[in-house]
Amino acid sequence: MLFYIFAAIAVLSGAYMVLTRNLLYAGFSLLLTLLSVAAIYVLLFADFVAVTQLMVYIGGVLVLILFGIMLSSRVHDKSVMSENTNVGWGITISLLTLIGLSYTIWQAGFSSLPWIQQAGTDVLAGQKSTVQLIGVKLMTDFVLPFEIASLLLLIALMGAAYIATDKQKV
């Protein structure tokens, strides 16, 4: 039951985010969408993904977006609003994507999976946290790709800082 509640909140706040013209309201709607998706991850026992969702997307990216909107929301004493253009194309592509995803899920045959056949029993009752297992795997088997990714992110950050500097010679 909770899954359906959080899924409905995610879908409704996502739709509001796309359809509203006020950028600040869209940012707060994005917050609600990301929080409900994190709650769905918790319900699916994907605690590492839920914490990552909270820390990275809500704690970092969304706060940056909201501060950017709030600091630049007024230009010459006029509120910045988004324009709704290509609404027809957006609705058409969204409906085609929904139909395609629904067909794919319908044809996947999830009813043959053993935990769906045992819907009356609590299959995931003995599930433990995945954080320790992921941490051990990251620092043993996947340490080289992890470090390469961190170096690439550091280089991208240095490049962004270089591009953002003023290049005029005084």
Side-chain angles (χ1 to χ4, degrees):
M1 182 67 184
L2 282 175
F3 176 82
Y4 295 114
I5 292 171
F6 287 125
I9 291 171
V11 168
L12 292 176
S13 62
Y16 182 76
M17 176 186 57
V18 172
L19 296 175
T20 187
R21 291 192 57 203
N22 190 329
L23 294 178
L24 188 62
Y25 290 164
F28 285 124
S29 180
L30 178 63
L31 170 71
L32 190 60
T33 303
L34 293 176
L35 281 173
S36 59
V37 169
I40 290 172
Y41 288 146
V42 168
L43 290 175
L44 296 174
F45 294 101
D47 49 353
F48 179 76
V49 180
V51 170
T52 304
Q53 172 94 2
L54 288 173
M55 298 296 288
V56 173
Y57 290 112
I58 296 173
V61 175
L62 185 66
V63 169
L64 182 67
I65 290 171
L66 287 176
F67 273 119
I69 291 171
M70 288 190 293
L71 291 175
S72 65
S73 65
R74 293 209 169 267
V75 178
H76 303 296
D77 292 333
K78 292 183 181 176
S79 184
V80 176
M81 302 293 261
S82 66
E83 295 180 18
N84 291 335
T85 58
N86 296 327
V87 175
W89 281 107
I91 291 173
T92 304
I93 291 173
S94 298
L95 287 176
L96 288 174
T97 303
L98 176 67
I99 291 169
L101 288 173
S102 299
Y103 177 75
T104 303
I105 291 170
W106 184 263
Q107 295 298 319
F110 288 124
S111 61
S112 64
L113 296 174
W115 58 80
I116 293 177
Q117 290 176 353
Q118 301 171 357
T121 62
D122 196 4
V123 177
L124 297 174
Q127 184 78 14
K128 293 184 179 179
S129 175
T130 58
V131 176
Q132 182 180 7
L133 178 64
I134 291 173
V136 168
K137 284 286 192 188
L138 263 178
M139 292 300 144
T140 55
D141 297 341
F142 299 106
V143 72
L144 183 63
F146 184 71
E147 289 301 321
I148 290 172
S150 66
L151 282 175
L152 284 173
L153 288 172
L154 177 65
I155 292 168
L157 181 64
M158 290 172 27
Y162 176 74
I163 290 171
T165 58
D166 192 19
K167 295 182 180 68
Q168 292 180 352
K169 294 185 180 181
V170 179

